């Protein structure tokens, strides 16, 4: 029975059409190497054992520390991940149409691929190791317990389980795995693609983008700082403005580009990062771009234009010195360029400067009108400008108290205030950043005391 299923799997491995890009995945290819290597005219026992162990290692490295539940065994889980993330004509089209509205040819091709993939999902490590051990006993011409190749089973791996993970994706994987006939999964997959999209943007919320050898590259950020709005003190109005703008943008309205400006450590960057937590279960994606790469914004825009997501391009600590010209590219990106900014993209930037470009005394004296207008025209292209004032002593202490409570620091209020005020005198004055650094300092001290005691 197992050998028959293995033969069916070899026949099902290559003829994918709609999901053909799965064959580009390194783990999928390694699985194929093992699947074909176990044939009598395949790999040697040593080569086969090496390929199997490499496959097991790749699977373990991909999912043991992922923090998400493994559905089925390691191979099944990986295959399901590939299917849910694959960007193909079906997964793209079904985001806008019901599966019933697809052309008969496309529907048939998808069902055929899913039938092949279901066969592959039924192969487990026990089947493969049984064949490897048979080859070992045959090649060494004796039946001896020492001929056991001693490879690990995929079913014995259990990932580190975090408290939070993508429950919906796990449920879809479980339903697909339990479905008797994957040809009936078009509606299940169609709903998932409509809700979560496909490709790299379906797997991650945040990215860095940069130019590498003339091409724009996305670098997914798998561990984004888990900041929340309730960690910000006395920023209610600023939070209201940016969340309303973001919510309307996600609802399909144009939305405004946003400039958050004010003193250092006042919560500007934290506010933008907290949007990912606030709108976690939506199609919001955030892409961080450095000032140096702004001149290539048209390339990024074209990469995002036809994606079914809403993107915030995040530019942190934005400012330009005299002589820097990247701001001209930013002006074109905000509005007025020959290539329009896509309707699914907004720019959110933070800056310590209201006008973004440094203004010097000589500059104001020589051509005051031109200089002022040039600088104001850049800031004015942000439709929403939100000011973050530097906190006074009272607000600074409120921030310290909130952070101490969040970390459950047992210290009386008077002592906490006294030490916080002493700390800021040798640091950067009253700011949220100074408060966080002070709390980190206290946490470090208490940790050391517990270790000593």
């Amino acid at each position: 029975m197992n050998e028959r299923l293995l033969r069916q799997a070899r026949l099902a491995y290559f003829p994918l059409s709609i999901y053909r890009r799965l064959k580009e995945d390194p783990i999928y290819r390694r699985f194929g190497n093992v699947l074909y290597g176990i044939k009598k005219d395949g790999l040697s026992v040593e080569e086969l054992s090496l390929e199997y162990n490499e496959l097991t290692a790749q699977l373990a490295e991909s999912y043991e520390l992922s923090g998400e539940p493994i559905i089925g065994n390691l191979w099944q889980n990986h295959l399901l991940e590939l299917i849910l993330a694959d960007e193909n004509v079906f997964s793209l089209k079904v985001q806008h149409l019901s599966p019933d509205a697809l052309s008969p040819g496309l529907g048939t091709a998808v069902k055929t691929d899913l039938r092949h993939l279901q066969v592959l999902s039924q192969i487990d490590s026990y089947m493969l190791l049984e064949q490897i051990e048979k080859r070992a006993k045959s090649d060494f011409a004796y039946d001896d317990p020492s001929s056991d190749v001693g490879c690990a089973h995929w079913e014995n791996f259990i990932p580190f389980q975090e408290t939070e993970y993508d429950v919906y994706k796990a449920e879809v994987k479980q339903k697909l795995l339990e479905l008797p006939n994957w040809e009936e999964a078009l509606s299940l997959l169609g709903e998932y693609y409509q809700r979560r999209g496909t490709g790299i943007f379906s797997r991650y919320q945040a990215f860095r983008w940069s130019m590498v050898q003339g091409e724009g590259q996305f670098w997914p950020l798998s561990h984004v700082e888990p900041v929340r709005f309730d960690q910000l003190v006395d920023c209610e109005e600023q939070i209201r403005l940016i969340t309303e703008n973001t919510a309307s943008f996600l609802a399909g309205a144009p939305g405004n580009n946003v400039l958050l400006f004010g003193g250092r450590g006042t919560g500007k960057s934290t506010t933008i990062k907290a949007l990912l937590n606030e709108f976690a279960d939506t199609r919001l994606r955030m892409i961080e771009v450095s000032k140096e790469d702004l001149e290539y914004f048209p390339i990024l825009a074209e990469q995002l234009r036809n994606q079914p997501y809403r993107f915030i391009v995040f530019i942190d600590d934005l400012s330009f010195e005299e002589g820097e010209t990247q701001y001209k590219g930013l002006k074109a990106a905000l509005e007025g360029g020959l290539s329009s900014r896509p309707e699914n993209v907004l720019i959110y930037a933070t800056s310590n400067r209201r006008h973004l470009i440094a203004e010097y005394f000589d500059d104001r004296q020589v051509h005051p009108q031109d200089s002022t207008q040039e600088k104001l025209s850049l800031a004015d292209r942000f439709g929403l400008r939100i000011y973050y004032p530097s906190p006074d002593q009272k607000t600074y202490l409120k921030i310290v108290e909130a952070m101490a409570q969040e970390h459950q620091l047992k210290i009386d209020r008077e002592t906490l205030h006294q030490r916080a005020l002493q700390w800021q005198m040798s640091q950067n004055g009253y700011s949220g950043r100074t408060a966080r650094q002070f709390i980190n300092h206290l946490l470090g001290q208490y940790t050391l005391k517990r270790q000593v005691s």
Side-chain angles (χ1 to χ4, degrees):
M1 181 63 182
N2 286 350
E3 292 185 6
R4 180 183 177 186
L5 185 56
L6 288 166
R7 285 196 298 270
Q8 291 176 340
R10 284 193 287 270
L11 291 173
Y13 179 80
F14 281 109
L16 299 178
S17 56
I18 306 304
Y19 285 91
R20 66 191 184 281
R21 289 192 181 90
L22 268 62
K23 292 180 283 190
E24 300 173 4
D25 175 70
I27 292 179
Y28 188 94
R29 291 201 303 269
R30 183 82 67 179
F31 177 83
N33 292 346
V34 177
L35 191 61
Y36 280 86
I38 60 177
K39 295 172 64 178
K40 290 184 179 180
D41 57 348
L43 300 174
S44 69
V45 173
E46 292 82 0
E47 292 171 328
L48 192 52
S49 297
L50 179 61
E51 283 295 304
Y52 177 88
N53 285 330
E54 285 296 320
L55 172 61
T56 302
Q58 287 180 323
L59 286 167
E61 289 168 2
S62 295
Y63 299 106
E64 260 303 290
L65 299 177
S66 68
E68 294 200 3
I70 292 176
I71 306 301
N73 60 47
L74 281 173
W75 163 245
Q76 289 171 330
N77 187 73
H78 182 69
L79 193 60
L80 294 169
E81 287 279 347
L82 292 180
I83 293 170
L84 295 185
D86 193 52
E87 193 168 271
N88 57 58
V89 62
F90 166 66
S91 63
L92 290 172
K93 197 169 185 178
V94 80
Q95 293 178 49
H96 308 287
L97 294 172
S98 165
D100 297 334
L102 300 175
S103 67
L106 178 57
T108 299
V110 173
K111 290 179 180 179
T112 301
D113 278 6
L114 291 175
R115 185 172 67 249
H116 292 322
L117 291 169
Q118 185 172 22
V119 173
L120 295 179
S121 74
Q122 294 168 351
I123 304 301
D124 59 36
S125 62
Y126 291 95
M127 297 180 193
L128 296 176
L129 287 177
E130 180 185 39
Q131 297 301 314
I132 295 174
E133 289 175 0
K134 281 184 179 180
R135 286 280 309 279
K137 292 174 181 178
S138 173
D139 287 4
F140 294 117
Y142 60 88
D143 189 359
D144 189 296
S146 63
S147 62
D148 188 335
V149 293
C151 297
H153 290 283
W154 304 330
E155 289 74 10
N156 295 333
F157 286 83
I158 300 175
F160 168 74
Q161 193 68 60
E162 292 185 352
T163 55
E164 295 182 4
Y165 60 89
D166 192 335
V167 176
Y168 173 61
K169 183 174 73 171
E171 290 175 349
V172 171
K173 290 196 296 183
Q174 187 67 49
K175 287 179 181 178
L176 183 58
L177 192 61
E178 294 174 353
L179 200 63
N181 186 354
W182 283 15
E183 292 184 37
E184 300 173 0
L186 266 66
S187 295
L188 176 66
L189 291 174
E191 182 182 354
Y192 179 85
Y193 294 140
Q194 287 172 5
R195 288 182 59 175
R196 293 296 171 84
T198 57
I200 191 173
F201 297 121
S202 70
R203 302 181 65 181
Y204 302 94
Q205 276 191 298
F207 306 81
R208 285 195 183 93
W209 184 88
S210 60
M211 289 294 291
V212 179
Q213 297 179 347
E215 293 187 1
Q217 297 287 330
F218 293 96
W219 309 96
L221 304 177
S222 55
H223 299 285
V224 180
E225 189 177 357
V227 292
R228 307 180 308 276
F229 286 134
D230 58 16
Q231 294 174 286
L232 296 167
V233 177
D234 285 356
C235 293
E236 290 79 9
E237 180 62 15
Q238 292 89 339
I239 292 171
R240 182 187 68 80
L241 289 170
I242 199 167
T243 52
E244 286 181 355
N245 188 73
T246 306
S248 63
F249 173 59
L250 289 172
N256 278 308
N257 299 305
V258 182
L259 173 64
L260 284 66
F261 67 97
R264 293 177 296 174
T266 51
K268 304 182 296 296
S269 299
T270 300
T271 300
I272 294 179
K273 294 174 184 177
L275 291 170
L276 286 174
N277 185 68
E278 182 73 12
F279 298 100
D281 196 22
T282 70
R283 292 204 173 193
L284 177 66
R285 299 294 182 267
M286 191 170 293
I287 301 173
E288 187 172 4
V289 178
S290 69
K291 178 179 69 175
E292 290 71 25
D293 285 316
L294 284 177
E295 61 181 300
Y296 305 111
F297 185 86
I299 296 175
L300 171 61
E302 289 309 308
Q303 289 180 303
L304 302 179
R305 187 178 298 277
N306 295 318
Q307 290 288 341
Y309 297 90
R310 311 293 276 184
F311 295 96
I312 290 176
V313 174
F314 174 36
I315 311 167
D316 197 21
D317 197 18
L318 180 64
S319 64
F320 299 98
E321 299 298 328
E322 193 70 20
E324 291 185 316
T325 59
Q326 295 100 326
Y327 75 91
K328 296 182 183 295
L330 178 60
K331 286 177 65 176
L334 290 167
E335 63 176 274
L338 290 176
S339 178
S340 62
R341 174 174 51 83
E343 60 85 23
N344 63 334
V345 176
L346 286 181
I347 297 174
Y348 284 14
T350 69
S351 180
N352 298 331
R353 297 172 179 167
R354 167 65 178 83
H355 300 311
L356 301 181
I357 303 175
E359 186 173 13
Y360 298 99
F361 179 78
D362 290 345
D363 186 44
R364 295 196 302 269
Q365 293 299 315
V366 175
H367 39 83
Q369 186 64 27
D370 291 346
S371 175
T372 300
Q373 290 304 315
E374 177 77 359
K375 293 166 175 57
L376 286 175
S377 67
L378 177 58
D380 287 345
R381 291 177 188 241
F382 288 91
L384 181 60
R385 295 174 295 281
I386 304 175
Y387 175 55
Y388 280 70
S390 296
D392 56 16
Q393 178 177 302
K394 180 180 178 181
T395 303
Y396 167 70
L397 292 176
K398 283 177 64 178
I399 297 172
V400 168
E401 286 183 19
M403 290 183 175
Q405 184 176 5
E406 178 184 356
H407 292 284
Q408 299 179 340
L409 281 172
K410 295 179 180 179
I411 179 172
D412 67 89
R413 189 168 182 265
E414 183 178 348
T415 303
L416 179 67
H417 284 193
Q418 182 181 13
R419 295 188 62 179
L421 292 174
Q422 291 174 342
W423 176 269
Q424 66 83 28
M425 291 177 64
S426 61
Q427 302 301 319
N428 296 316
Y430 303 129
S431 74
R433 181 175 298 140
T434 300
R436 184 174 67 249
Q437 292 166 348
F438 168 64
I439 294 298
N440 288 342
H441 172 71
L442 286 185
L443 288 170
Q445 285 189 327
Y446 287 135
T447 301
L448 288 175
K449 285 181 180 179
R450 284 196 299 268
Q451 290 176 348
V452 171
S453 61

